[in-house]
């Protein structure tokens, strides 16, 4: 299988790179072409088309994204160029060479007003620019390539900037940190999502999927979970979204139910707490190795 992976240097891209060649997609069964900024730009239509037409992948995994939710509020057009038009171009040219298209989307396509987990068929209604650009990207992928997988995920933690690393860094500097307690979702391991992606790609079970770890929490309880598992002493103060006043409004409740995955029996995610414990253990191991190397 020939796989074109965009956004390869990002959090999910890195998890996929690590996972390809081990476990679900053994070495020798695939050719991988990883691309990312600054050499490869999804908003450069000519470059997107020539890459796919020349390399002729069997599968395109689009992890490239304009992911800064707050910055997107003032830069909505740029967010749309990357998350919607870029996704459309990749999807259209993938269709031309007969490749499957896998697009990563987000829980932020929902407005967060419901009090129960969202299923794939529930109507989207984004409340911020990032969510609008991702929702439109989903739609353009559906319109341009019938052989698509659209995976909505949430609150990713992997190799890169993420909430877990931010909380650990802040808690080492401060005695008390304030964390939002009125937004609910599901933290998701980038490694677990990568495994799910590789499983789906080997099927023809096309469509839209919710793909998060199991369980739910607020950012506040997520932070408390991180500190409990790392043993760092730091007070966590619950605050409201209103008190924090970020540039982009956030949906309040965007827990996703992995309904399509459950129905098809293709992949089962573990609970986010189990995935977090494994992630923190690996991070601690890496830090210990770095300390040893410095001595
Ligand atoms: N992180 C989350 O919590 C989360 C939650 C739900 C959904 N998602 C979705 O999951 C996907 C992967 O997220 P992630 O956490 O891995 O994001 P990430 O770490 O920000 O990675 C995104 C990658 O895309 C690249 N990129 C940005 N603009 C590009 C362009 N014009 N052309 C080509 N590449 C470009 C980025 O490069 P630079 O770093 O140089 O900009 C980065 O390497 C995204 O579609 C995101 O919307 C993420």
């Amino acid at each position: 299988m020939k796989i074109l992976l965009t956004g390869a240097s990002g959090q999910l891209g890195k998890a996929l790179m690590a996972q390809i060649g081990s476990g679900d997609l053994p070495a020798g069964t695939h050719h991988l072409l990883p691309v990312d900024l600054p050499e490869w730009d999804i908003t450069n239509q000519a470059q997107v088309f020539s890459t796919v037409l020349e390399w002729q992948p069997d599968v395109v995994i689009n992890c490239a994204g304009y992911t800064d939710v707050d910055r997107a509020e003032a830069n909505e057009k740029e967010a749309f160029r990357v998350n919607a038009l870029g996704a459309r171009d990749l999807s259209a040219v993938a269709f031309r060479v007969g490749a499957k298209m896998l697009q990563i989307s987000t829980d932020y396509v929902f407005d967060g007003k419901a009090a129960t987990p969202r299923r794939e068929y529930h109507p989207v209604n984004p409340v911020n620019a990032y969510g609008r650009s991702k929702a439109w990207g989903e739609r353009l992928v559906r319109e341009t390539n019938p052989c698509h997988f659209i995976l909505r995920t949430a609150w990713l933690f992997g190799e890169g900037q993420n909430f877990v690393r931010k909380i650990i860094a802040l808690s080492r500097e401060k005695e008390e940190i304030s964390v939002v307690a009125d937004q609910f979702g599901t933290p998701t391991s980038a490694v677990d999502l990568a495994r799910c992606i590789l499983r789906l790609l080997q099927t023809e079970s096309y469509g839209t999927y919710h793909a998060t770890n199991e369980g739910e929490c607020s950012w506040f309880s997520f932070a408390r979970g991180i500190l409990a598992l790392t043993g760092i002493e730091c007070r966590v103060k619950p605050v409201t979204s209103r008190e924090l006043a970020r540039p982009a409004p956030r949906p309040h409740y965007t827990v996703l139910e992995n309904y399509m995955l459950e129905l098809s029996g293709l992949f089962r995610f573990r609970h986010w707490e189990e995935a977090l414990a494994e992630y923190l253990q690996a991070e601690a191991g890496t830090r210990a190795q770095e300390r040893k190397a410095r001595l």
Side-chain angles (χ1 to χ4, degrees):
M1 181 165 27
K2 288 174 79 176
I3 305 171
L4 173 65
L5 173 65
T6 71
S9 314
Q11 204 172 195
L12 181 57
K14 280 187 188 146
L16 276 158
M17 299 264 284
Q19 207 59 33
I20 290 172
S22 71
D24 294 319
L25 210 58
T29 62
H30 65 274
H31 299 283
L32 175 68
L33 179 60
V35 293
D36 207 327
L37 284 176
E39 295 83 18
W40 192 91
D41 187 344
I42 200 170
T43 66
N44 180 339
Q45 192 182 53
Q47 190 178 28
V48 170
F49 270 67
S50 66
T51 304
V52 174
L53 293 175
E54 280 163 26
W55 204 64
Q56 299 269 322
D58 301 304
V59 166
V60 174
I61 308 178
N62 184 24
C63 295
Y66 189 109
T67 56
D68 188 325
V69 177
D70 285 323
R71 216 151 53 88
E73 281 308 288
N75 298 285
E76 185 154 357
K77 284 185 180 163
E78 186 52 22
F80 264 77
R81 279 189 200 102
V82 177
N83 292 340
L85 300 194
R88 174 202 64 188
D89 291 343
L90 254 184
S91 177
V93 72
F95 176 65
R96 221 203 276 178
V97 302
K100 298 174 183 177
M101 171 74 188
L102 191 140
Q103 169 71 6
I104 306 298
S105 191
T106 170
D107 56 332
Y108 280 13
V109 297
F110 293 112
D111 60 19
K113 289 180 182 149
T116 52
R118 298 294 77 199
R119 285 182 174 170
E120 290 82 351
Y121 56 76
H122 285 131
V124 301
N125 184 32
V127 298
N128 57 37
Y130 167 75
R132 284 191 289 278
S133 70
K134 296 294 291 185
W136 197 242
E138 286 190 2
R139 178 147 170 194
L140 294 177
V141 166
R142 283 187 200 102
E143 287 174 356
T144 45
N145 191 338
C147 298
H148 65 253
F149 303 91
I150 293 170
L151 268 65
R152 296 185 185 135
T153 192
W155 301 18
L156 282 181
F157 55 88
E159 284 299 309
Q161 279 307 312
N162 61 56
F163 183 78
V164 182
R165 288 185 174 177
K166 202 161 135 189
I167 290 297
I168 292 174
L170 280 175
S171 63
R172 290 214 164 98
E173 290 164 14
K174 300 175 167 195
E175 282 178 9
E176 181 179 273
I177 55 175
S178 299
V179 183
V180 168
D182 61 0
Q183 290 169 28
F184 297 84
T186 304
T188 299
S189 150
V191 171
D192 290 1
L193 180 58
R195 293 194 57 225
C196 173
I197 288 170
L198 296 180
R199 175 75 191 98
L200 279 179
L201 280 181
Q202 296 175 71
T203 74
E204 294 194 61
S205 302
Y206 302 116
T208 302
Y209 291 85
H210 288 175
T212 63
N213 280 120
E214 289 296 319
E216 61 179 83
C217 62
S218 66
W219 290 110
F220 168 73
S221 47
F222 187 17
R224 294 235 298 199
I226 295 161
L227 295 180
L229 283 165
T230 47
I232 302 172
E233 297 277 336
C234 178
R235 279 193 307 279
V236 188
K237 182 181 163 204
V239 292
T240 62
S241 308
R242 193 184 287 251
E243 282 173 279
L244 213 64
R246 304 279 289 274
R250 303 295 204 274
H252 285 294
Y253 183 91
T254 54
V255 175
L256 304 179
E257 181 180 348
N258 298 341
Y259 192 52
M260 286 285 288
L261 283 177
E262 188 199 325
L263 289 180
S264 56
L266 286 170
F267 190 85
R268 206 178 153 77
F269 278 88
R270 57 188 162 164
H271 197 278
W272 68 266
E273 285 172 342
E274 189 186 337
L276 176 65
E278 189 181 282
Y279 173 78
L280 289 171
Q281 226 169 17
E283 293 270 288
T286 309
R287 276 197 301 279
Q289 271 179 351
E290 283 167 0
R291 272 198 302 276
K292 214 168 154 187
R294 276 200 299 273
L295 290 175

